[in-house]
Amino acid sequence: MSTDFVLANTRPAKVPLVPEVVLHQADEAIELWQRTEADHGGAQLPPPFWAFAWAGGQALARHVLDEPGLVAGRRVLDLAAGSGLVAIAAMLAGAAEVTAVEIDPLAVAAIEVNAAVNAVRVTALLADVLDQRVDADVVLAGDVFYSRDMTARMLGFLRAAAATGATVLAGDPGRAYLPREQLTLVAAYDVPVPQTLEDTPVKRTTVWRVNP
């Protein structure tokens, strides 16, 4: 079962920039990725984004907890949610309800495990929603501008969400495809990250509001 795999290959630890949140985290990305594919019969699977507190998500979660009025009493969508860090932070900040969307079944399992550890209710949804109509008051996306194709799809969805009147925020650790011309800077943080994930132990990470 996906939940068993998550529990067997991670350990609970506080998130460096967001110590209010505990996540089940792995120590090494490549080894875990290889173990994941081996456990699934050698199938090609996405990297285990769900097993780490990525810089973009940490910055966005920190911003939400520091500015709870952004989500308090509102319906929140955490897009490409990974571990569920941002979704959990939104619930801790007083969101009325949070849906965390992922296309990786292991990520969905990790979100459920992590929500339980933090004693919050998060709806974990296995789906690609980028071609669907937005139905949320707030849309949050951590570290989603990591390729040209993904940026194009994500930006289309996020701008459509902003056009409905939703508050749309994205966290980014300086990815090459960050579409700055479509965004407004709202905050910046120095985020501690494992060097197995990034090229430096601290990443200057920004939070942006997406323009409609």
Side-chain angles (χ1 to χ4, degrees), residues 2-74:
S2 296
T3 299
D4 293 337
F5 186 89
V6 170
L7 292 173
N9 289 279
T10 60
R11 55 184 176 82
K14 290 184 177 181
V15 177
L17 193 70
V18 195
E20 299 95 326
V21 176
V22 172
L23 296 179
H24 280 262
Q25 302 175 61
D27 296 318
E28 172 56 52
I30 299 301
E31 290 181 6
L32 177 57
W33 193 0
Q34 293 171 341
R35 199 176 308 129
T36 302
E37 293 187 333
D39 192 71
H40 289 75
Q44 290 189 339
L45 297 174
F49 297 124
W50 51 268
F52 302 94
W54 294 83
Q58 288 198 57
L60 190 53
R62 180 74 270 153
H63 186 65
V64 166
L65 285 168
D66 289 345
E67 302 289 343
L70 292 167
V71 299
R74 306 178 78 187

Side-chain angles (χ1 to χ4, degrees), residues 102-194:
E102 258 292 347
I103 60 171
D104 183 349
L106 284 170
V108 170
I111 292 164
E112 293 172 344
V113 166
N114 289 327
V117 167
N118 290 277
V120 297
R121 183 187 298 275
V122 172
T123 300
L125 178 64
L126 181 66
D128 182 343
V129 301
L130 295 183
D131 296 319
Q132 299 180 18
R133 181 180 177 275
V134 181
D135 184 23
D137 304 315
V138 181
V139 178
L140 304 173
D143 205 349
V144 295
F145 302 126
Y146 51 82
S147 74
R148 188 185 304 276
D149 290 344
M150 183 55 69
T151 294
R153 289 199 72 205
M154 284 286 180
L155 187 60
F157 180 88
L158 295 174
R159 293 191 69 195
T164 69
T167 299
V168 183
L169 298 173
D172 186 84
R175 302 301 184 203
Y177 297 100
L178 176 67
R180 294 174 181 270
E181 67 281 359
Q182 309 289 345
L183 311 173
T184 300
L185 180 65
V186 295
Y189 303 88
D190 290 320
V191 183
V193 290

